[in-house]
Amino acid sequence: MTQKEFTPALGFKALTPLYDIVIALLTRENLWRGKLLSYIAPADNDRILDVGCGTGTLVTKVKQICGAADVHGIDPDNAVLNLAIGKAAKANVEVIFHQGFLRPDTVAELGTFTKVISSLVFHQTPLNVKRNILESMRALLRENGKLYIADYGQQRTALMRFLFRCTVQVMDGRSDTQHNAEGCLPVLMKETGFIDIKELAIVPTLTGSISIYSAERGDVAG
Ligand SMILES: C[S@@+](CC[C@H](N)C(=O)[O-])C[C@H]1O[C@@H](n2cnc3c(N)ncnc32)[C@H](O)[C@@H]1O
């Protein structure tokens, strides 16, 4: 895959510098990220990978919560990675950033992790890529490893469907986003071998509802 084969963080490359402010203003970011972090509960012996780490907000907070954890972020977009590197440096924490897509061979390059985390990535990817990312995430997890995802999930009310349509679907298009709105993520997690899949929280926002999911790797080799 090349740099062209992903949707930039805010839909268009030129808008990337505005990403953090838009997410803060429109998505009740502190609320859903706070909940996500409390479920991730980073611990000293954790090795954690943030997939599609973007501008590094989540991965930097994970490392701030637990300085002893080995914390990594991966993203194909150099523009957001540069912002992420700056954010971690400003917070004075050491996060290891990798440039690239998550692929099956990422395991050989990065090793395995106790927790794989991700926020706001899946709604921007085609259905086959959602599935591929989940397969690679599962391959990256150690036995009993945990997956935590925050993203636009099933839009359950007319108001949430309307807001999602007027905001996220305008920025990111309908084809990648609609499967999320119809609730595809837990289904795909099950199909790719994850077990104990839970929708832990649903946060209504001005851009549609953001769901927080957890799942376990399961014991069958992927
Ligand atoms: C909307 S941004 C979310 C950034 C960040 N996780 C957050 O919560 O603010 C989605 C990010 O996913 C990245 N991305 C898209 N496809 C990816 C893939 N296959 N593997 C890893 N990252 C990917 C994009 O480059 C982009 O930075």
Side-chain angles (χ1 to χ4, degrees):
M1 282 195 269
T2 71
Q3 279 265 315
K4 285 182 190 145
E5 293 175 69
F6 61 86
T7 302
L10 211 51
F12 304 92
K13 265 187 180 176
L15 298 181
T16 295
L18 300 177
Y19 179 78
D20 280 356
I21 186 79
V22 170
I23 295 300
L25 288 175
L26 296 186
T27 74
R28 305 174 81 196
E29 182 181 23
N30 285 342
L31 181 59
W32 66 262
R33 274 206 209 278
K35 284 180 186 286
L36 177 60
L37 285 161
S38 71
Y39 290 121
I40 295 169
D44 286 1
N45 56 355
D46 270 336
R47 186 162 194 262
I48 300 177
L49 177 66
D50 182 4
V51 174
C53 62
T55 59
T57 306
L58 180 66
V59 81
T60 297
K61 284 186 193 294
V62 166
K63 187 69 179 181
Q64 282 177 311
I65 291 170
C66 186
D70 181 15
V71 179
H72 298 242
I74 185 168
D75 200 290
D77 184 351
N78 279 319
V80 290
L81 275 182
N82 286 335
L83 295 171
I85 290 165
K87 192 175 286 175
K90 196 170 169 198
N92 202 22
V93 295
E94 192 188 336
V95 175
I96 302 164
F97 290 104
H98 309 270
Q99 193 267 323
F101 289 92
L102 191 68
R103 306 167 191 270
D105 56 11
T106 309
V107 182
E109 291 161 18
L110 304 188
T112 57
F113 294 83
T114 56
K115 292 170 184 167
V116 172
I117 65 177
S118 184
S119 55
L120 304 185
V121 173
F122 285 90
H123 75 277
Q124 289 191 326
T125 63
L127 190 59
N128 66 318
V129 177
K130 295 183 210 293
R131 186 187 299 275
N132 292 345
I133 292 176
L134 283 167
E135 280 170 356
S136 297
M137 285 172 148
R138 187 159 171 270
L140 281 164
L141 280 168
R142 295 177 189 168
E143 200 178 344
N144 301 320
K146 295 273 270 178
L147 174 71
Y148 296 94
I149 292 173
D151 211 329
Y152 294 97
Q154 185 177 6
Q155 303 299 310
R156 291 183 167 86
T157 67
L159 177 62
M160 286 301 118
R161 284 193 290 277
F162 173 74
L163 291 172
F164 187 69
R165 222 171 26 243
C166 295
T167 56
V168 175
Q169 293 198 307
V170 170
M171 302 295 288
D172 296 328
R174 192 173 188 280
S175 62
D176 292 348
T177 55
Q178 187 58 27
H179 296 286
N180 276 53
E182 289 166 5
C184 76
L185 284 180
V187 176
L188 289 175
M189 286 180 215
K190 188 164 184 213
E191 285 174 6
T192 51
F194 283 99
I195 61 167
D196 201 20
I197 300 154
K198 293 179 183 144
E199 191 172 23
L200 298 166
I202 303 170
V203 178
T205 84
L206 287 174
T207 57
S209 62
I210 293 176
S211 293
I212 299 177
Y213 304 97
S214 71
E216 280 191 27
R217 183 189 185 282
D219 58 1
V220 182

